[in-house]
Amino acid sequence: MRVFLVGAGPGDPGLITARGLELVRCCDVLVHDRLVSRELVTEAPPGALRIDRDRLGQHEIEQLLVRYARLGLRVVRLKGGDPFVFGRGGEEAVALSAAGVPFEVVPGVSSFAAVPAAAGIPVTHRGISSQVTIVSGHDADALDLAAVARAPGTLVVFMGLGSLREIADGLIRHGRAADTPAAVIASGTLPEQRTVVAPLGELADAAAGLEPPALVVVGEVVALAGTLALHEFAGALAA
Amino acid sequence: MRVFLVGAGPGDPGLITARGLELVRCCDVLVHDRLVSRELVTEAPPGALRIDRDRLGQHEIEQLLVRYARLGLRVVRLKGGDPFVFGRGGEEAVALSAAGVPFEVVPGVSSFAAVPAAAGIPVTHRGISSQVTIVSGHDADALDLAAVARAPGTLVVFMGLGSLREIADGLIRHGRAADTPAAVIASGTLPEQRTVVAPLGELADAAAGLEPPALVVVGEVVALAGTLALHEFAGALAA
């Protein structure tokens, strides 16, 4: 018995790791996030049990992983992005460890750099940015916006669309220039990707039409978005 | 003609993306970093030209990519980790763009979360850390250690082994507690991985025997390293 906590990557199914794909292709049970692409869910063997975790609470997921593993089944827990970057993979790992269930973490391509890359934005760039700060906008009240505003380099906000105005205003109030280049990228790396580039002070208005999942990027590197080409959606997986 | 800037991932060849592996397997020219695993270099077709970029300057690499692409060849530039996370991929992208050579960026699993994961450390964890700061220790004098020390959450330092004492001392001088849990992970995700866990104030002494490549992690999440299991090196790639 074993549980594999696998990162599915940022959206494009071609961005799962070779190891992760191999594990999906030979699992007995696939417990997947809603945002994981249909192509990857289809890669599980025809007889595999597929479980969309969407209607399950975190504790229920953990119990499910333990239960199926104890039946001697190969369980793959397929999570968007990387399991340990705002993925709650750590909680699942702790639960499995406490239950004595062996597990393995297979990292994934995190959205933090891949989604900006798909919009032509390198999160680091020689002479422009050599520091990246990653935060979650899920609970914007818990953010130390004063510290974040002072951090040099690039800022990446996960799940920041819902509180975008609050975050942008807070950063400006704490000293970030209102004309700092910024972007919101929705559905990054997917065919339906939409990118909005605007100065920080105008970002919330400019991004009004976008829907989650979305990533916010703030910093001088965003100015490179015009120069660099885009990620091309791969979609199909080689056999 | 086309150049693919492909991230090879953190070390374990199984952590390249499915798309990246597919591109390596059908390239005409493979220009690879020294740290990219031999297994991946071997995956290029038997007739492909393999070029170790180790003895080439950055400008020479860029010229090489342009030259081979203009001959109508499929060129894969295979870089450790992710091309846009301290990978100088942005510079190569700018050079290709300026030369009018079409290119595509295929992101990779960055070491920033995958290497800590391989040591049982989740860079974010509910209730412990919801912010990650990523810096390079390559030019430690350029680091704003005061700002970095004040940032809440987890700190990840790339290429920080050479200036580890200077960085640790600086963080403590600027307010980080000397007993903050910290780790250095050398050759992360590879069979020869070595991990040293120690309080920040003792980290430089504890890590004295380690050799690059190494990643430094500072923050309360490091305390989870004892609980969580390790990454298992995959090594072989499925056909």
Side-chain angles (χ1 to χ4, degrees), chain A residues 142-209:
Chain A
L143 272 179
D144 182 350
L145 282 174
V148 171
R150 271 196 304 266
T154 309
L155 170 66
V156 176
V157 186
F158 281 67
M159 295 166 278
L161 197 56
S163 48
L164 182 55
R165 192 172 303 275
E166 184 184 347
I167 291 170
D169 288 354
L171 291 173
I172 293 168
R173 199 169 55 245
H174 287 292
R176 275 275 173 131
D179 64 355
T180 306
V184 180
I185 305 136
S187 300
T189 78
L190 292 172
E192 59 268 29
Q193 174 176 320
R194 286 189 61 198
T195 306
V196 165
V197 174
L200 183 58
E202 300 164 25
L203 190 63
D205 287 335

Side-chain angles (χ1 to χ4, degrees), chain A residues 124-138:
Chain A
T124 71
H125 196 84
R126 205 170 179 84
I128 299 180
S129 169
S130 59
Q131 180 166 331
V132 187
T133 302
I134 306 174
V135 300
S136 165
H138 181 65

Side-chain angles (χ1 to χ4, degrees), chain B residues 33-230:
Chain B
D33 288 350
R34 186 175 50 86
L35 286 176
V36 163
S37 79
R38 175 168 290 276
E39 285 85 345
L40 289 179
V41 175
T42 310
E43 291 288 332
L49 182 59
R50 293 164 174 76
I51 301 171
D52 183 337
R53 63 78 77 210
D54 210 32
R55 280 166 300 182
L56 302 174
Q58 185 61 33
H59 184 61
E60 287 174 293
I61 296 169
E62 291 162 13
Q63 285 184 310
L64 203 75
L65 298 177
V66 169
R67 192 182 330 135
Y68 283 114
R70 284 189 176 152
L71 290 172
L73 301 172
R74 277 171 83 89
V75 182
V76 168
R77 171 73 178 98
L78 190 60
K79 304 168 82 76
D82 179 272
F84 280 174
V85 182
F86 302 122
R88 304 191 70 167
E91 287 165 77
E92 292 169 24
V94 167
L96 292 166
S97 181
V101 173
F103 66 94
E104 182 186 327
V105 178
V106 180
V109 172
S110 169
S111 298
F112 101 98
V115 164
I121 302 166
V123 290
T124 71
H125 196 83
R126 205 170 178 83
I128 299 180
S129 169
S130 60
Q131 180 166 332
V132 188
T133 302
I134 305 173
V135 299
S136 165
H138 180 66
D139 181 8
D141 295 336
L143 272 178
D144 182 350
L145 282 173
V148 171
R150 270 197 304 265
T154 308
L155 170 65
V156 175
V157 186
F158 281 67
M159 295 167 278
L161 197 56
S163 48
L164 182 54
R165 191 172 305 275
E166 183 184 347
I167 292 169
D169 288 353
L171 291 172
I172 293 168
R173 198 169 56 244
H174 288 291
R176 274 276 172 127
D179 64 355
T180 306
V184 180
I185 306 135
S187 300
T189 78
L190 292 172
E192 59 268 28
Q193 174 176 321
R194 286 189 61 198
T195 306
V196 164
V197 174
L200 183 57
E202 299 164 26
L203 191 63
D205 286 336
L210 299 185
E211 291 190 3
L215 198 81
V216 180
V217 191
V218 180
E220 297 302 326
V221 289
V222 175
L224 291 165
T227 310
L228 302 185
L230 305 184

Side-chain angles (χ1 to χ4, degrees), chain B residues 4-26:
Chain B
F4 300 90
L5 300 174
V6 177
D12 182 338
L15 297 180
I16 191 173
T17 61
R19 170 91 174 129
L21 181 57
E22 193 187 323
L23 290 168
V24 169
R25 283 176 172 167
C26 65

